[in-house]
Amino acid sequence: MTRVPEEVPCLLMRGGTSKGAYFLAGDLPAEPAPRDELLLRIMGSPDDRQIDGLGGAHPLTSKVAVISPSADPDADVDYLFLQVVVDRPEVSDRQNCGNILAGVGPFAVERGLVTAGEEETSVRIRMANSGDLATATFPTPGGRVDYTGDAEISGVPGTAAPVVIEFPPSATPLLPTGNVRDEIDGVQVTCVDNGMPTVLIAATSLKVTGYETPRELEGDAALADRLRTIRLAAGRLMGLGDVSDATVPKLTLLAPPRDGGAVTTRTFIPVRCHPSIGVLGAASVAAGLRIEGGVGADLARLDAGGDRVRIEHPTGFLDIESSLGATPDGLPSARRTAVVRTARKIFDGTVFPRSAETAPIPPQPQGGQR
Ligand code: NQM
């Protein structure tokens, strides 16, 4: 029988615009069921306020990274991302997270999985959720992670050391439905996956401008209904099956840029509207804008020749480098994606999970797990 620990070493980190609990895989049960049950008790789910755990009562602050040495010769560490649902007893491995990814390299150095260089360190990461690879490079003067620096990212106050993340082409087809456009519920969409399955929709086709605040959009019940219908159908078309309990695909509403960027976005993850945008979500949007005939191509203003795409979002912008190639049968494919994020170690210590006896967790619904 798996032994479930009563206290667990944990590093709490901000990764990009998200926050999560980072663990060594060896400190958690290896089996998904007892591991997830333990993580629910650690994060304080299910509870709207996650008052009895580490979670921050929002999908972006209810995240977990599980990290281990990698058996893949192309990677130093394996990173499994787990989304702990705030108000339901669910832990999902069906999505990846590029923001939490920003903390994985520093964590690997902090925990001695990777030896730091004298100036900077590059960590090759296998993202276990998708099988995709990423390389994160960050400053390690004198062989220690330095979290301070002058990189600024929208959605995080102040500045910090840059974590440069580079992604080789994703293993998943860029157009998972095989089409540049699909029509769902009378709405034209482009389904794209450059690391995050994302449905691109012109905001005006859902009778909003795309410049509303996340709060205004979250308060629009008719919009929520339309988005749910589109998402369930898009999930099937994208080969993801029944996505009613999954956090993918994400939905991104697009509108012409207003602040010198390429496009304005409002992203549903999938129910809450993101205060900014996810990293892999942005990678998927950036690639999607370059697809001729896609719903983003008409709205976007892309710099001729340059790889950099500035994605506007509710709290600023995210710059991402994205270039496309073509598959042997002529379909567009992602060539290279790169982004700058920051991360910070907030707390290193021992987490004490809520007791299983005094606060039992109801069984997880079927279908929430892959
Ligand atoms: O798309 C939010 C986030 C994310 C995921 C989400 C992310 C990504 O902002 O890579 O970073 O879409 O659930 O952390």
Side-chain angles (χ1 to χ4, degrees):
M1 211 183 94
T2 312
R3 196 187 66 82
V4 177
E6 281 165 25
E7 47 181 81
V8 191
C10 173
L11 201 59
L12 190 68
M13 295 186 92
R14 173 181 66 75
T17 48
S18 282
K19 191 153 58 179
Y22 289 65
F23 298 96
L24 283 174
D27 289 333
L28 295 172
E31 292 292 313
R35 178 201 64 203
D36 293 352
E37 194 270 347
L38 177 65
L39 290 174
L40 288 165
R41 290 191 284 118
I42 286 176
M43 300 302 277
S45 290
D47 172 31
D48 277 348
R49 292 195 301 150
Q50 293 183 315
I51 193 67
D52 212 11
L54 287 182
H58 189 280
L60 299 180
T61 50
S62 184
K63 301 189 162 208
V64 165
V66 182
I67 295 147
S68 52
S70 185
D72 183 337
D74 293 328
D76 301 306
V77 294
D78 283 355
Y79 150 54
L80 175 70
F81 170 71
L82 296 170
Q83 179 72 52
V84 179
V85 177
V86 172
D87 56 353
R88 294 195 310 274
E90 280 176 52
V91 177
S92 175
D93 65 1
R94 291 190 67 181
Q95 81 162 80
N96 209 338
C97 179
N99 271 308
I100 291 297
L101 172 66
V104 171
F107 175 90
V109 170
E110 296 277 356
R111 289 291 189 255
L113 299 179
V114 171
T115 307
E118 273 303 303
E119 293 292 329
E120 61 172 32
T121 303
S122 290
V123 178
R124 300 168 310 153
I125 301 161
R126 181 178 159 274
M127 299 184 282
N129 304 74
S130 58
D132 290 337
L133 296 169
T135 301
T137 304
F138 46 95
T140 51
R144 288 174 68 95
V145 183
D146 184 358
Y147 295 94
T148 61
D150 57 9
E152 202 175 337
I153 59 173
S154 304
V156 178
T159 64
V163 179
V164 179
I165 308 178
E166 300 200 67
F167 303 94
S170 163
T172 320
L174 188 56
L175 291 172
T177 72
N179 303 318
V180 165
R181 281 177 185 243
D182 291 283
E183 186 171 309
I184 302 178
D185 199 28
V187 174
Q188 292 284 310
V189 304
T190 294
C191 298
V192 57
D193 187 346
N194 186 18
M196 182 66 74
T198 305
V199 184
L200 305 182
I201 309 167
T204 50
S205 64
L206 290 175
K207 312 244 174 325
V208 292
T209 64
Y211 305 113
E212 293 84 354
T213 64
R215 187 187 284 253
E216 284 166 343
L217 292 173
E218 283 179 355
D220 184 338
L223 176 67
D225 276 353
R226 298 287 318 271
L227 291 176
R228 182 176 157 77
T229 304
I230 292 171
R231 202 175 79 81
L232 292 178
R236 286 208 177 78
L237 289 176
M238 295 169 91
L240 299 168
D242 177 7
V243 294
S244 42
D245 286 325
T247 54
V248 285
K250 313 288 179 184
L251 302 146
T252 298
L253 307 186
L254 302 176
R258 284 206 301 193
D259 293 311
V263 76
T264 296
T265 59
R266 297 291 182 266
T267 300
F268 289 81
I269 61 170
V271 177
R272 303 294 302 266
C273 182
H274 203 306
S276 53
I277 189 167
V279 169
L280 294 164
S284 296
V285 171
L289 298 181
R290 295 195 188 281
I291 296 174
E292 226 174 288
V295 299
D298 301 341
L299 299 169
R301 268 176 232 142
L302 294 167
D303 288 344
D307 281 355
R308 201 192 71 176
V309 180
R310 174 162 289 190
I311 306 221
E312 298 176 5
H313 57 64
T315 44
F317 59 84
L318 188 150
D319 283 338
I320 190 148
E321 284 178 35
S322 162
S323 62
L324 297 193
T327 62
D329 42 5
L331 287 172
S333 68
R335 187 182 288 145
R336 177 179 170 270
T337 307
V339 70
V340 174
R341 296 272 87 189
T342 65
R344 199 173 80 76
K345 171 170 74 167
I346 298 172
F347 172 82
D348 188 359
T350 302
V351 61
F352 298 89
R354 202 173 65 208
S355 138
E357 278 84 52
T358 55
I361 288 166
Q364 289 203 51
Q366 293 297 306
Q369 294 280 292
R370 192 162 42 178

